[in-house]
Amino acid sequence: MRDMKALSQNLGQKQVSTTSKYYGDVEPHVKQELFRKMRDKQRNPGARDISDLAEQVDLETQDVVRKILQMALDKK
């Protein structure tokens, strides 16, 4: 119950029942991704998650972004 309360507070929900209703039956790998995103946002609250942005653009744009990111990694 304590974990659910912490999750509820991190999501900005006042009632644990709200959290349970929407996240209670989520598969483990989906929960892990949600927690990863929350942790990343806590580390850098002003940044937009690149994966969230990528989901909003077409596949051609995603390919261009992927190539740019790969070039940046190759420079290291």
Side-chain angles (χ1 to χ4, degrees), residues 21-71:
K21 178 179 177 181
Y22 294 103
Y23 296 100
D25 294 331
V26 177
E27 294 184 23
H29 71 281
V30 175
K31 286 181 186 178
Q32 286 179 330
E33 183 64 16
L34 289 169
F35 283 123
R36 183 194 64 77
K37 286 183 178 185
M38 283 190 297
R39 184 177 58 246
D40 291 348
K41 287 180 182 182
Q42 285 177 340
R43 289 181 182 154
N44 192 358
R48 293 197 59 187
D49 188 9
I50 195 165
S51 63
D52 289 340
L53 294 171
E55 290 174 4
Q56 298 176 35
V57 297
D58 58 58
L59 293 176
E60 184 177 337
T61 303
Q62 290 178 22
D63 287 338
V64 170
V65 171
R66 187 177 296 109
K67 289 174 185 174
I68 293 169
L69 292 171
Q70 188 60 55
M71 288 180 352

